[in-house]
Amino acid sequence: MGTVIRSTGVSSIRSGSAIELAVNAAGNCISGSGAGYEDISLLINAGVYRDNNICEPSVASLMQQKLRLNPEPVFGGEGITFAFDQRDGAAGLISSCNTADAWLAEGDGRYALVVASDSHPSAVTGTVSGFPFSAVGSAVLLEKSGAAGFGNFGHFSEGEGVEGV
């Protein structure tokens, strides 16, 4: 089994909260992918900034509710979406894809959605002037595949004198 990228999406809105940006990107990603919202068994939020610096509940669960990804699961049956935040800074997307790959390989789910969106934590009340980064949202829909897909994930850093990982 392998995991392939089924669809990608970016936010078409240019400002707002990290949750709004991720929900918009996820909607753009899912629309036209052939997947139904009810078919997504995993949602991982890899964004770094949190609206109003909230810690609980997970930002992913708030995104799940807005996207209506199986918001009222029937335990013991189909239609369950597990949602959580995975913080790994600049490596968040690749770490989340690695986690989703393992999830899909071991379970019955067919699709996993990874989102990353960042905006100033106070942007929920409007734009924040002077913030040095652009607000952005992105999403990738991963699908369990019969044979093709990601190879082994590897994380390493370059030697001395090289910035980044």
Side-chain angles (χ1 to χ4, degrees), residues 3 32 72 78 84:
T3 299
E72 297 179 23
E78 295 183 14
F84 61 91

Side-chain angles (χ1 to χ4, degrees), residues 16-66:
S17 76
I19 293 172
E20 290 171 342
L21 292 162
V23 167
N24 185 259
N28 292 336
C29 178
I30 296 167
S31 101
S33 71
Y37 284 79
E38 69 281 358
D39 299 325
I40 298 170
S41 64
L42 178 65
L43 170 65
I44 302 175
N45 170 37
V48 175
Y49 291 97
R50 300 169 170 266
D51 292 356
N52 290 324
N53 295 309
I54 62 171
C55 290
E56 293 292 335
S58 72
V59 175
S61 65
L62 299 173
M63 294 172 182
Q64 176 188 13
Q65 184 179 31
K66 288 189 177 287

Side-chain angles (χ1 to χ4, degrees), residues 89-102:
L93 177 68
I94 194 73
S95 295
S96 296
C97 286
N98 186 18
T99 301
D101 179 54

